[in-house]
Amino acid sequence: MEMRLAEDLRYSKAGLKEFEVIGSPKVEVLFYHAELFASHLQGTKQIVKLNIIECYSLTALPISSLSSTLKEIRINLNRKLKLELSVSEMISSISNMFLERLTLDGCYSIDDIPPEFVPSTRILRIERCYRLTRLLIPTGIEILEINICENLEILSVACGTQTTSLLDLHISKSQKLKLPPEGMHELLPSLKKLVLENCPETESFPEGGLPFNLEVLQIVDCKKLVNGRKEWRLQRLSCLISLFIFHDGSDEEILGDENWELPCCIRHLWVSNLKNIKQSSAQKPHLS
């Protein structure tokens, strides 16, 4: 199998831009001979996309052997894959990989994602990784999407490290996540958009509140979080222009509590099944 692949690449590598493996029962043969495989991909100078789909026997991905020209890697339904890097692979990946997008979807054996695995990825999407319990947000990413990772409990930023590049954080259907990243108001200073959907155990925002530069906040079906909204202190967010809240109507009215005032900069407001919203006394927002 690997020799036939090598022969094909030898004659087509000049124009090869995308490589895809789907449902290969012997994909481990290909990746056990990673040096042979990588030598041909490195020679293309044009390969930009790698898709590995439904290769159930794949257990490891040789990061250090992949072409530095790659811009997108998608790993889908690879049930045995684990992300375990040696020191040499970590150093190599940091210096050589500059991905536009990395997608990990249906990788059921992954319980942790080392930040070194994605040091230079602009968009990181993690979906249906059911054993994932914790995630340290890598530096350098701009968009992080987490969907249907029902056992994710801890989402954090490296202590003392500002992740100044993260602009968009979207978390959906994380059944056990109780708190967004601790210290996010200081450690995620560039965050512009925060979306939380179907996170039933998320009770509050972390101490210190939300990042001051936040522009868009969307909360959908997060019952405990919305019921504790008097602690959100949204009026401190001088850049917040869009607020979207979809609730089940189970909350009680908050009376005479200025902590639920909206900032005067709000321009777009969409609220469903929520009681008692007050405008900031400083200035009425112009809503649309």
Side-chain angles (χ1 to χ4, degrees), residues 143-211:
I143 299 173
L144 175 58
E145 300 176 0
I146 304 171
N147 186 34
I148 320 180
C149 295
E150 55 191 28
N151 286 307
L152 179 66
E153 297 183 29
I154 301 174
L155 180 63
S156 59
V157 182
C159 183
T161 302
Q162 277 195 343
T163 304
T164 57
S165 60
L166 188 62
L167 302 174
D168 189 332
L169 176 59
H170 189 145
I171 307 171
S172 176
K173 297 182 180 179
S174 292
Q175 304 296 318
K176 295 184 179 181
L177 184 67
K178 292 188 176 182
L179 198 70
E182 287 280 4
M184 63 186 302
H185 67 295
E186 294 181 344
L187 300 179
L188 300 177
S190 299
L191 192 67
K192 301 294 185 183
K193 183 177 182 179
L194 175 62
V195 179
L196 295 173
E197 297 184 22
N198 293 288
C199 298
E201 293 302 315
T202 302
E203 299 177 337
S204 65
F205 294 121
E207 185 176 354
L210 296 167

Side-chain angles (χ1 to χ4, degrees), residues 14-228:
L16 184 64
K17 292 187 177 181
E18 181 173 344
F19 184 80
E20 185 168 285
V21 182
I22 301 178
S24 173
K26 295 184 178 180
V27 72
E28 74 277 6
V29 176
L30 171 63
F31 286 97
Y32 284 160
H33 294 272
E35 292 184 2
L36 176 63
F37 171 65
S39 66
H40 290 283
L41 289 186
Q42 287 282 358
T44 65
K45 303 300 182 181
Q46 295 187 47
I47 184 75
V48 294
K49 188 173 183 179
L50 174 64
N51 296 331
I52 306 173
I53 303 170
E54 295 182 353
C55 297
Y56 300 138
S57 59
L58 179 64
T59 59
L61 188 65
I63 297 299
S64 62
S65 299
L66 296 177
S67 171
S68 61
T69 61
L70 277 168
K71 295 302 179 185
E72 181 174 349
I73 298 177
R74 182 164 69 102
I75 303 174
N76 179 250
L77 293 174
N78 294 275
R79 298 174 180 175
K80 296 182 180 180
L81 178 69
K82 290 188 176 182
L83 304 181
E84 298 176 351
L85 303 180
S86 66
V87 173
S88 62
E89 285 179 315
M90 290 179 184
I91 295 173
S92 179
S93 66
I94 289 173
S95 60
N96 293 327
M97 299 296 289
F98 298 95
L99 296 175
E100 173 70 16
R101 179 189 294 267
L102 172 63
T103 299
L104 302 173
D105 182 2
C107 299
Y108 303 152
S109 294
I110 293 178
D111 56 12
D112 189 16
I113 299 178
E116 296 84 359
F117 186 80
V118 284
S120 300
T121 298
R122 194 177 77 84
I123 302 172
L124 174 59
R125 184 182 183 194
I126 305 169
E127 185 168 0
R128 295 184 296 174
C129 293
Y130 299 127
R131 293 188 61 186
L132 183 67
T133 59
R134 61 188 183 275
L135 176 65
L136 186 64
I137 298 177
T139 59
I141 64 172
E142 296 180 13
I143 299 173
L144 175 58
E145 300 176 0
I146 304 171
N147 186 34
I148 320 180
C149 295
E150 55 191 28
N151 286 307
L152 179 66
E153 297 183 29
I154 301 174
L155 180 63
S156 59
V157 182
C159 183
T161 302
Q162 277 195 343
T163 304
T164 57
S165 60
L166 188 62
L167 302 174
D168 189 332
L169 176 59
H170 189 145
I171 307 171
S172 176
K173 297 182 180 179
S174 292
Q175 304 296 318
K176 295 184 179 181
L177 184 67
K178 292 188 176 182
L179 198 70
E182 287 280 4
M184 63 186 302
H185 67 295
E186 294 181 344
L187 300 179
L188 300 177
S190 299
L191 192 67
K192 301 294 185 183
K193 183 177 182 179
L194 175 62
V195 179
L196 295 173
E197 297 184 22
N198 293 288
C199 298
E201 293 302 315
T202 302
E203 299 177 337
S204 65
F205 294 121
E207 185 176 354
L210 296 167
F212 294 113
N213 291 318
L214 193 69
E215 296 179 357
V216 178
L217 177 62
Q218 296 184 15
I219 309 294
V220 179
D221 290 332
C222 299
K223 180 177 179 178
K224 292 183 178 181
L225 179 61
V226 173
N227 285 344

